[in-house]
């Protein structure tokens, strides 16, 4: 039953029934719930590795840098004046809660990248407080990722990543970096904060890519 | 499962024998997975309470009202049962073996569990690092790990938030900035600070530490966020 005890056929630890465990009364599992996840309902848990940073909007900016033809900077006012989108999505946290139909508003990463010319294949998102997370650039483009500053019609609260966070709903939520301040584009993949601590480098909730090796 | 014993009126200590255990760092956790006969599974994280030197693995689980996993672990599970777990997990909220300076631990409720492992590690290695613990619990009976909070170089302050026994002369209120200023290591000493407990506790303490002038990069937090909260 140790961590090394992996079933060679399935690549997972062996399954057995926990004596006397029935689990909470459950409705039919929604097809929108990835394996191993449960619906947190109206809750919205807060998880992060350090204190909630507090950046004044006058000092906030968003930068696209690294392997780019020219660095792009957006002040808060410039960011706010970009074309905005409403996004309604399900989100999936690696700690196994999912939340359906969350409503956000913000700027598509496609818009932020705009006319950036780059051969990069990877992006490292960085945040106030030193947090980073890595993603393939292709997962941030094509209408699949946003920098959002509004949740459920109100400014995003600091504990949920305000003033602005990344939103990449098709990956585990640790990829949706809170307090995001920019992206570093590069040709090689540089691991982010949790990824260096053994979490999966990609993090697909439908394939349960929680930890390195999953 | 070797044994399940009552630790407090609402928490149980699970003692496990894990074969092939690769060892852990003080402060790491495991993921426990329960499986029902129909294949339904529930998975939650639990910090390791025992130090890396212990021959067994201890978890201390606080029973939450209507808690799906904590209820099972504290009320149904017994010695001899098998438990599926994965780990150790987490390389961030761990005992800083290389840290030169002093360490401040701040726990709310079951948030003390990873610190039990760190304090045990401190004793086992006869570490000379100065460690202070500020521990907030509801009452004296709710204190987890009472026999494990002391040691050479370790000083512990307990604050009781709901009920105190007759003659109690210690602190008896929730942790606030004043308490942090008076009962934790000063920011001038640049301690490495670990904060662990329910989300609201961690938020309050971390904000208080920042206002006292602690460097944000020296504060590590772990939130035992109940999944039902706002
Ligand atoms: C890194 C880490 C380490 C941790 N270490 C520890 C530890 O050492 N000790 C410890 O005790 N805990 C620890 N926790 C917390 C632990 O993982 C669980 O969150 C906790 O035990 C609650 O799980 P549960 O299944 O009992 O409760 P859940 O079923 O998740 O419910 C949590 C609360 O929400 C309410 N709730 C949620 N959904 C429903 C619903 N559908 N119906 C009714 N009520 C609901 C319940 O009333 C309950 O109070 C840790 C968490 C993390 C992230």
């Amino acid at each position: 039953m140790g961590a090394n005890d992996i079933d060679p056929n399935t690549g997972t630890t062996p399954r057995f029934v926990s004596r006397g465990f029935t689990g909470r009364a459950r409705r039919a599992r929604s097809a929108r719930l990835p394996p191993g996840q449960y619906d947190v309902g109206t809750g919205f848990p807060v998880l992060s590795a350090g204190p909630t940073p507090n950046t004044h909007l006058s000092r906030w900016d968003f930068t696209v840098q690294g392997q780019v033809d020219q660095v792009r900077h957006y002040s808060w006012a410039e960011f706010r004046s970009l074309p905005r989108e409403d996004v309604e999505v399900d989100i999936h946290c690696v700690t196994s809660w999912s939340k359906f139909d969350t409503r956000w508003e913000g700027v598509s990463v496609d818009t932020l990248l705009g006319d950036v010319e780059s051969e990069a294949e990877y992006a490292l998102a960085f945040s106030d407080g030193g947090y980073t997370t890595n993603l393939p650039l292709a997962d941030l483009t094509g209408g699949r990722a946003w920098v959002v500053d509004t949740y459920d019609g109100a400014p995003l609260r600091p504990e949920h990543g305000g003033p602005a966070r990344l939103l990449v709903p098709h990956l585990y939520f640790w990829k949706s970096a809170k307090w995001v301040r920019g992206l570093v584009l590069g040709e090689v993949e540089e691991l982010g904060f949790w990824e260096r601590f053994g979490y999966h480098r990609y993090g697909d909730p439908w394939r349960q890519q929680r930890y390195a090796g999953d | 499962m070797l044994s399940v014993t009552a630790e407090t009126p609402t928490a149980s200590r699970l003692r496990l024998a894990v074969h092939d255990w690769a060892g852990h760092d003080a402060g790491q956790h495991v993921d426990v997975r329960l499986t029902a006969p129909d294949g339904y599974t529930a998975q939650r994280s639990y910090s390791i309470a025992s130090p890396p030197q212990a021959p067994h693995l201890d978890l201390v689980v606080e029973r939450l009202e209507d808690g799906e996993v904590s209820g099972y672990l504290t009320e149904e599970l017994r010695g001899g049962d098998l438990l599926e777990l994965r780990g150790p997990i987490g390389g961030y909220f761990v005992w800083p073996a290389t840290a030169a300076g002093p360490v401040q631990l701040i726990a709310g409720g079951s948030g003390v569990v990873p610190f039990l492992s760190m304090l045990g590690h401190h004793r086992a290695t006869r570490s000379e690092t100065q460690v202070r613990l500020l521990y907030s619990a509801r009452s004296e009976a709710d204190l987890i790990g009472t026999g494990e909070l002391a040691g050479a170089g370790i000083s512990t302050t307990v604050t009781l938030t709901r009920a105190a026994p007759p003659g109690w002369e210690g602190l008896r209120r929730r942790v606030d900035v004043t308490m942090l200023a008076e009962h934790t290591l000063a920011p001038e000493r640049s301690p490495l600070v670990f904060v662990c407990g329910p989300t609201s506790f961690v938020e309050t303490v971390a904000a208080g530490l920042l206002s006292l002038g602690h460097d944000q990069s020296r504060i590590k937090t772990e939130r035992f966020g109940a999944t039902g909260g706002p």
Side-chain angles (χ1 to χ4, degrees):
Chain A
M1 200 203 38
N4 308 327
D5 213 2
I6 292 178
D7 183 329
N9 298 316
T10 62
T12 60
T13 43
R15 279 277 164 111
F16 60 89
V17 172
S18 309
R19 183 193 55 74
F21 177 69
T22 49
R24 188 174 279 144
R26 43 196 176 272
R27 286 157 282 156
R29 233 184 120 77
S30 165
R32 289 160 62 186
L33 206 54
Q37 298 289 115
Y38 68 96
D39 178 359
V40 75
T42 56
F44 196 166
V46 174
L47 296 153
S48 49
T52 298
N54 199 344
T55 303
H56 197 267
L57 293 181
S58 62
R59 283 183 289 111
W60 189 94
D61 64 2
F62 189 89
T63 312
V64 181
Q65 61 191 64
Q67 203 204 58
V68 291
D69 54 335
Q70 201 191 317
V71 172
R72 307 296 193 285
H73 271 296
Y74 303 92
S75 68
W76 180 252
E78 286 162 346
F79 172 75
R80 289 284 303 179
S81 66
L82 292 170
R84 299 176 65 78
E85 294 178 13
D86 287 317
V87 190
E88 187 168 322
V89 288
D90 298 345
I91 56 178
H92 311 292
C93 178
V94 69
T95 59
S96 78
W97 56 267
S98 291
K99 191 168 169 59
F100 293 151
D101 304 317
T102 59
R103 290 173 48 233
W104 311 80
E105 194 191 297
V107 177
S108 162
V109 173
D110 293 312
T111 304
L112 291 163
L113 292 177
D115 60 350
V116 171
E117 280 177 38
S118 175
E119 302 280 290
E121 285 187 35
Y122 297 99
L124 188 73
F126 60 93
S127 301
D128 282 322
Y131 183 77
T132 55
T133 189
N134 56 287
L135 306 104
L137 190 53
D139 284 79
L140 289 171
T141 56
R144 298 210 288 168
W146 297 264
V147 173
V148 293
D149 58 14
T150 304
Y151 174 72
D152 218 5
L156 184 59
R157 303 217 319 248
E159 65 268 34
H160 287 303
R165 77 180 298 161
L166 196 61
L167 178 67
V168 194
H170 68 282
L171 298 178
Y172 278 129
F173 213 43
W174 90 79
K175 297 282 179 180
S176 295
K178 293 178 176 184
W179 314 299
V180 73
R181 292 292 296 276
L183 299 172
V184 189
L185 309 191
E187 253 167 53
V188 287
E189 184 171 32
E190 195 189 318
L191 295 184
F193 179 85
W194 287 122
E195 294 84 358
R196 282 199 300 273
F197 284 116
Y199 280 77
H200 199 275
R201 59 174 59 200
Y202 184 64
D204 180 348
W206 295 95
R207 283 149 64 196
Q208 295 211 63
Q209 293 174 335
R210 295 171 192 277
Y211 308 113
D214 278 350
Chain B
M1 182 64 47
L2 296 172
S3 62
V4 183
T5 50
E7 178 81 12
T8 74
T10 56
S12 298
R13 185 176 291 246
L14 281 43
R15 181 153 291 179
L16 301 114
V18 193
H19 56 81
D20 297 337
W21 187 247
H24 69 276
D25 291 333
Q28 287 190 296
H29 65 272
V30 293
D31 278 2
V32 172
R33 181 162 67 181
L34 303 179
T35 306
D38 65 355
Y40 170 86
T41 63
Q43 182 173 310
R44 300 287 187 277
S45 300
Y46 292 96
S47 299
I48 299 169
S50 45
Q53 293 81 6
H56 44 71
L57 204 67
D58 278 6
L59 310 179
V60 180
V61 179
E62 170 100 50
R63 185 178 72 242
L64 295 191
E65 197 73 35
D66 300 323
E68 182 171 36
V69 173
S70 64
Y72 173 88
L73 295 177
T74 53
E75 282 172 350
E76 178 67 34
L77 195 70
R78 55 182 188 237
D81 283 345
L82 288 178
L83 196 61
E84 189 178 357
L85 56 86
R86 177 167 191 183
I89 296 164
Y92 173 69
F93 197 83
V94 297
W95 172 256
T98 54
V103 175
Q104 177 69 53
L105 311 174
I106 306 175
S110 56
V112 77
V113 177
F115 299 155
L116 298 183
S117 180
M118 293 186 190
L119 295 175
H121 185 55
H122 187 275
R123 282 187 299 269
T125 58
R126 299 178 197 283
S127 165
E128 292 187 352
T129 305
Q130 187 196 348
V131 182
R132 272 185 92 156
L133 166 67
L134 176 61
Y135 177 15
S136 169
R138 283 175 301 227
S139 73
E140 198 175 38
D142 286 303
L143 289 172
I144 290 169
T146 36
E148 300 158 56
L149 302 176
I154 299 172
S155 60
T156 296
T157 307
V158 169
T159 180
L160 301 179
T161 55
R162 290 204 194 152
W168 173 260
E169 289 182 351
L171 299 168
R172 41 165 328 180
R173 61 177 204 280
R174 286 162 167 260
V175 176
D176 53 21
V177 183
T178 321
M179 191 184 291
L180 291 172
E182 288 171 5
H183 298 279
T184 63
L185 294 168
E188 293 72 43
R189 301 195 53 202
S190 300
L192 199 51
V193 191
F194 291 80
V195 188
C196 186
T199 292
S200 58
F201 176 87
V202 171
E203 282 292 314
T204 309
V205 171
L209 291 167
L210 290 182
S211 76
L212 289 174
H214 284 269
D215 180 353
Q216 130 147 358
S217 67
R218 303 202 46 90
I219 306 173
K220 298 188 180 209
T221 61
E222 187 135 280
R223 295 165 165 88
F224 283 7
T227 48

